[in-house]
Amino acid sequence: MAGRVQIPSRSSALIAMIADEDTVVGFLLAGVGNVDLRRKTNYLIVDSKTTVKQIEDAFKEFTTREDIAIVLISQYVANMIRFLVDSYNKPVPAILEIPSKDHPYDPAHDSVLSRVKYLFSAESVASGRR
Amino acid sequence: MEEEEWSQKVTGNQLPEVDITQPQQLRLRQPRLHPGMEEKLVLQFMDSMHNYLSLFDALSSILREGWLDLASARHSMGGLRINSSLLDMKLHTAATTVKITQYDDIAVDSIAVQPCFTLRKWASSEHGNSQLEDNNVHLRERDGIHQSSAEENAEVTVSKNLLGPTDNDQFSKERSKSLSTFGVLISPKLRASQLSFERALDVLVEIANMRSSVLYSFHQLHEEAEDN
């Protein structure tokens, strides 16, 4: 494509996760777990005791870290911080809302699909969720 | 104040201020697209949307297998042997990472950037992986647009088939190292679960690429709609 320049960027970026225990354990088995010198991890396990503030803080941290390429967030967790997730619009890290065991993927809540719905309809995103 | 700072960081809004009373500043806007180019973008957008949703179906199915195998492993090994308290909190780097290559339009705002993600599995076999990943990136670059997910999956299959015995040995070693977090004698279901989540990672990286394609073509079409 004219006017497009390939810029090699990061070669070893991480995949961060904000999800339930089984999902996080599964992906850790696949080798994505990282613990740095300050014992900071690239994941947050969400359970019944996790507060919305903790989820918000983790989301903000992962989306501002330079070494993270993709943030996986269970969709039911994303719904708890929907305003934050929808207001995020940078290409990297990519935010992917994934299903969980008890909450199947719902395209109606996906932030990417909500954003592009605008192309098909003159209604606002908010009215589409009613 | 903290929220405002985060908000400024992630909206990536770096558009310069434009004074519309000064016509020369309006040259910063991208030129209008040719009619043929616009149709190509619409097709790319619709294609990417379709693939994005199809990949999520595939992901849901693979994750269900992974959760089921994990639950079976927990049932046979015991709940105390598979839980988050056993996770390794010592310093260690991720064995599976992602390589990002950015395609940057010579544009004003960051939304026109189209990153391309490539999965790098089990980093100890880094030399072999980097060659195969470069092949994948080269195949994706063909025609300058993303191919359909079926073709991409075929490419991933081809690249996996190119793995020699040494790479497979190293992959096995890394997989065993990861499984050893939960002990030496582990259920075959735990191994199966690990493979399912590895497959899920492949699909997730494809979804990330589709997301970037959807957002990129949406941005171009949105700009065109505003121009009109």
Side-chain angles (χ1 to χ4, degrees):
Chain A
M1 260 186 208
R4 304 188 80 208
V5 177
Q6 181 181 341
I7 304 169
S9 290
R10 289 155 263 180
S11 61
S12 293
L14 302 173
I15 298 175
M17 294 160 287
I18 304 175
D20 56 276
E21 181 177 317
D22 277 5
T23 306
V24 170
V25 165
F27 282 119
L28 292 182
L29 281 172
V32 303
N34 188 85
V35 180
D36 66 12
L37 282 166
R38 292 170 295 171
R39 294 191 71 178
K40 280 196 138 180
T41 61
N42 60 328
Y43 57 87
L44 171 72
I45 296 177
V46 176
D47 56 23
S48 53
K49 295 182 190 137
T50 312
T51 62
V52 173
K53 178 83 174 50
Q54 284 174 302
I55 297 168
E56 278 179 6
D57 290 344
F59 183 81
K60 285 179 191 175
E61 186 204 327
F62 293 153
T63 50
T64 46
R65 271 172 66 168
E66 295 288 326
D67 60 344
I68 289 177
I70 298 175
V71 178
L72 306 179
I73 180 168
S74 291
Q75 196 172 50
Y76 82 96
V77 176
N79 287 340
M80 296 179 197
I81 54 166
R82 181 51 64 193
F83 177 72
L84 264 186
V85 174
D86 282 354
S87 65
Y88 176 87
N89 65 359
K90 285 179 90 174
V92 177
I95 310 297
L96 304 182
E97 297 179 35
I98 59 173
S100 61
K101 284 182 308 185
D102 305 320
H103 301 88
Y105 173 72
D106 181 1
H109 285 116
D110 188 297
S111 62
V112 170
L113 298 179
S114 301
R115 205 180 309 167
V116 304
K117 238 165 49 167
Y118 165 79
L119 205 62
F120 302 105
S121 161
E123 291 175 357
S124 69
V125 168
S127 63
R129 287 225 183 87
R130 271 187 253 116
Chain B
M1 184 58 87
E2 205 179 284
E3 295 245 349
E4 280 173 25
E5 279 172 22
W6 177 82
S7 180
Q8 278 166 13
K9 264 187 182 172
V10 299
T11 51
N13 186 3
Q14 293 171 8
L15 284 166
E17 292 186 10
V18 174
D19 181 357
I20 57 168
T21 61
Q22 300 298 321
Q24 61 271 24
Q25 291 196 25
L26 296 176
R27 279 188 219 131
L28 287 169
R29 294 186 74 86
Q30 289 188 19
R32 285 185 68 168
L33 299 169
H34 298 299
M37 192 66 193
E38 190 182 336
E39 280 159 11
K40 194 175 178 185
L41 264 178
V42 169
L43 281 173
Q44 182 183 337
F45 174 73
M46 300 301 286
D47 242 350
S48 303
M49 283 279 290
H50 170 76
N51 291 335
Y52 185 80
L53 291 167
S54 304
L55 285 167
F56 263 108
D57 278 341
L59 176 72
S60 297
S61 162
I62 294 169
L63 283 176
R64 265 198 299 275
E65 280 177 33
W67 290 319
L68 193 57
D69 287 333
L70 194 61
S72 301
R74 191 177 273 126
H75 178 72
S76 62
M77 291 167 64
L80 290 174
R81 286 197 56 197
I82 302 181
N83 65 67
S84 55
S85 61
L86 297 170
L87 295 176
D88 186 5
M89 293 306 289
K90 288 181 286 193
L91 169 68
H92 69 273
T93 51
T96 298
T97 55
V98 173
K99 177 177 163 184
I100 309 172
T101 309
Q102 293 203 119
Y103 292 90
D104 203 356
D105 262 334
I106 303 174
V108 179
D109 58 54
S110 63
I111 300 170
V113 168
Q114 188 177 1
C116 180
F117 302 90
T118 312
L119 189 64
R120 298 168 70 102
K121 282 189 190 176
W122 307 119
S124 289
S125 51
E126 197 165 311
H127 175 69
N129 271 353
S130 62
Q131 271 187 316
L132 295 168
E133 283 145 21
D134 287 341
N135 287 342
N136 280 338
V137 170
H138 173 69
L139 287 165
R140 284 202 190 93
E141 283 169 4
R142 199 168 60 201
D143 299 329
I145 54 171
H146 286 295
Q147 298 155 322
S148 69
S149 65
E151 289 172 56
E152 285 168 340
N153 286 339
E155 286 163 22
V156 172
T157 308
V158 164
S159 62
K160 280 183 184 164
N161 289 339
L162 293 173
L163 287 173
T166 314
D167 293 311
N168 283 330
D169 288 341
Q170 284 175 329
F171 276 20
S172 297
K173 274 189 200 158
E174 292 296 324
R175 285 191 181 111
S176 300
K177 198 171 147 189
S178 180
L179 287 167
S180 64
T181 307
F182 301 104
V184 177
L185 291 173
I186 53 168
S187 163
K189 287 291 184 184
L190 195 63
R191 288 186 198 276
S193 176
Q194 183 184 50
L195 292 174
S196 294
F197 278 96
E198 273 188 46
R199 278 166 45 221
L201 280 178
D202 287 321
V203 175
L204 281 164
V205 168
E206 293 309 313
I207 291 175
N209 287 324
M210 281 303 126
R211 172 188 181 272
S212 106
S213 178
V214 165
L215 292 176
Y216 175 81
S217 44
F218 169 72
H219 172 73
Q220 298 295 312
L221 289 170
H222 182 51
E223 292 267 301
E224 182 64 12
E226 281 195 337
D227 280 345
N228 289 336

